[in-house]
Amino acid sequence: MKTFPWQERPEGNKDIMWRFSENPIIGRYDIPSSNSIFNSAVVPFEDGFAGVFRCDNKAVQMNIFAGFSKDGINWEIEHNPIEMKAGNTEMIVSDYKYDPRVTFIEDRYWISWCNGYNGPTIGIAYTFDFKEFYQCENAFLPFNRNGVLFPEKINGKYAMLSRPSDNGHTPFGDIFISYSPDMKYWGEHRCVMKVAPFMDSAWQCTKIGSGSVPIKTEEGWLMFYHGVINTCNGFRYSMGAVLLDLENPDKVLYRSKQYLLAPAELYETTGDVPNVVFPCAAIADGDKVAVYYGAADTVVAVAFGYISEIINFMKKDSL
Ligand code: BMA
C-alpha cells in the first residue's frame, strides 16, 4: 500500500464519519456485463490494493470478480467472474456468490461470501495473488449470510462472525461467532450481539449483520456492521460500529446507539434497492479509516473517519 485513500473532513462538517466527495467510486455499468456493482471488499495488496467485487449481470445473476487499484479509489475490475479451483475439498458447488469480504491471514488472502448451496450459506476461498482462487468447504449449513473472518487467529483458532438466517430477505438476524482449527470444521458458536430494542435504537431493530473485517486497536476489535429497520416502505440499511474484546470477541465492549452513516445521498436512497448503506470492508492507516460500502444495491462508495473519534463516539453513547 503506497497511498491511502483519504480526504479530510469537509469544513463545517460535524459528523463522526464523512463521505468521499467523488462518490460513488464504482458505477453500476463499470464492466460490460454488469447491472450493478456493490457490496464489495478491498484489501492492501503489493504496492496498491486488490478487491473482490459483487457484480450482478444483466440477467441479474450474482457473482464475484477480482479487481486491482493503485490508489484504492480508481479500480480495474476483471470482466470475467472468479473461477474457483478445488481448495480443501472437491465440493465447490455454487449456485451464486454475493457480498464478499477479504482478509489477509498469515500467508494468504481469505475470501468469505454468501454462497448458494441449497440456499445461502458462507463460502470460503483463499488466494495468494487474486488470480488463482481455491474454494474450501462451506463454513455452515444454509441459511447464513454476512460471514466475516477476523484477520488473525484468536487463541490459536480462525474466528468468523456470521448471521444465521432464512432463505429469503430475512426479517430477523443476530450476529454470532464461530471458531475453526483448520478453515474446514467450524464450531464453538456463540451469540455476539442481537438486534436493538426499538425504543433504544430503531435503525438496528429488525436485523444486524457483520460488515467489515475487524480492525485490531489497543482497546478492542473495531467492526463496522449494518443494522436494519423495517419501515412501511421496506427495509432501510444503515451503518454502525462495535468494539469487541480482543481475547474474547464474543464480548461486546461498546456498540453505537446512533448510526454512523445512514442512507441520505441520492446514490444511497435511489437505485435497485433504495435506502441501503452496506459496509463490506474497512482499511486503516494509523488512526485513519476508510470504509467501503455498497449503496442502494447499485454502486460502491467510501466514507472516512478517525478510529479514535469513532471509539469515543461509541463510548459516549453505547447500547
Ligand atoms: C440483503 C442482501 C444484501 C443486500 C441487502 C439489501 O439480504 O441481499 O446483498 O444489499 O439485502 O437489499
Side-chain angles (χ1 to χ4, degrees), residues 16-17 45 93 98-99 113 162 165 191 193 216 220 299 311:
I16 299 297
M17 295 195 72
F45 176 68
V93 174
Y98 67 88
D99 295 359
W113 71 92
S162 76
S165 57
C191 184
M193 57 199 248
K216 195 176 199 179
V299 295
I311 293 178

Side-chain angles (χ1 to χ4, degrees), residues 175-248:
I175 297 176
F176 287 70
I177 192 167
S178 308
Y179 295 92
S180 172
D182 56 5
M183 279 285 186
K184 189 165 193 177
Y185 300 100
W186 292 86
E188 297 171 67
H189 315 292
R190 304 282 182 270
C191 184
V192 176
M193 57 199 248
K194 291 179 158 312
V195 294
F198 175 75
M199 298 292 280
D200 293 339
S201 183
W203 64 269
Q204 49 181 330
C205 73
T206 300
K207 53 178 171 173
I208 52 175
S210 296
S212 63
V213 166
I215 294 169
K216 195 176 199 179
T217 75
E218 275 171 21
E219 296 192 65
W221 293 106
L222 173 64
M223 198 268 292
F224 296 93
Y225 66 96
H226 67 261
V228 181
I229 181 174
N230 197 10
T231 75
C232 58
N233 275 329
F235 292 140
R236 179 177 191 249
Y237 286 68
S238 305
M239 178 178 96
V242 64
L243 201 69
L244 303 173
D245 186 81
L246 286 177
E247 264 108 71
N248 300 300

